[in-house]
Amino acid sequence: MSGLGVVTLLVLLVLGGGIGIVLAVWRPSPRWANRKGLRCPGCGGGRTRTLSGRGDRLDGMLECRACARAWRPEDHTAGR
């Protein structure tokens, strides 16, 4: 391989990596990705459900299905 071919290959690799990084930062994260506040602060589990229809202070909180811990996703404060 000639010197020009090696330099061209390296330039293309750097440009491809730069474009990949820019696109990863620019585009929104997919729905299934770990968004802030959706992982359990206690056990780290991602299986959660929203508590609703109770008419009390727990309405709108998230509950972990693994350890039953409840928390408010907007302020990341955990409680039971």
Side-chain angles (χ1 to χ4, degrees):
M1 196 175 236
S2 68
L4 182 61
V6 171
V7 170
T8 304
L9 182 62
L10 288 175
V11 168
L12 288 175
L13 286 174
V14 169
L15 283 174
I19 290 171
I21 290 171
V22 167
L23 287 177
V25 171
W26 169 73
R27 72 177 200 190
S29 59
R31 232 179 139 78
W32 51 265
N34 179 23
R35 294 174 295 191
K36 290 182 179 179
L38 293 182
R39 288 229 176 250
C40 177
C43 69
R47 294 183 55 215
T48 59
R49 64 178 170 207
T50 304
L51 301 174
S52 62
R54 295 178 179 221
D56 60 3
R57 64 181 183 86
L58 298 178
D59 196 27
M61 294 178 74
L62 293 177
E63 181 183 25
C64 178
R65 292 184 181 188
C67 69
R69 188 172 190 170
W71 72 97
R72 293 211 180 275
E74 59 271 359
D75 59 324
H76 303 283
T77 57
R80 285 227 181 236

